[in-house]
Amino acid sequence: MIRIHLSLEASSPWQQGEDRADIYQYFVEVRANTEALLQAADQWDLDLAPFPTR
């Protein structure tokens, strides 16, 4: 399982300064097996291949 925390730029625009959500308040849990994660990483590399390294 991978836990993805949504904060900062993912927060609502009206939540600024002291009203901003805690960094660990909102998250999504993604369940995937090792093979699926490796396949996703390989696909990510293929998708990024046309773009130059910065």
Side-chain angles (χ1 to χ4, degrees), residues 26-54:
Y26 301 106
F27 60 89
V28 177
E29 291 180 346
V30 178
R31 294 185 186 278
N33 61 36
T34 303
E35 184 178 331
L37 291 173
L38 290 172
Q39 183 178 4
D42 289 341
Q43 185 61 50
W44 185 324
D45 286 340
L46 290 173
D47 291 343
L48 291 177
F51 301 101
T53 302
R54 294 183 185 196

Side-chain angles (χ1 to χ4, degrees), residues 8-29:
L8 304 175
E9 287 84 4
S11 68
S12 303
W14 61 84
Q15 291 184 319
Q16 300 293 322
E18 295 295 319
D19 293 332
R20 180 171 272 171
D22 178 52
I23 193 169
Y24 298 110
Q25 186 172 357
Y26 301 106
F27 60 89
V28 177
E29 291 180 346

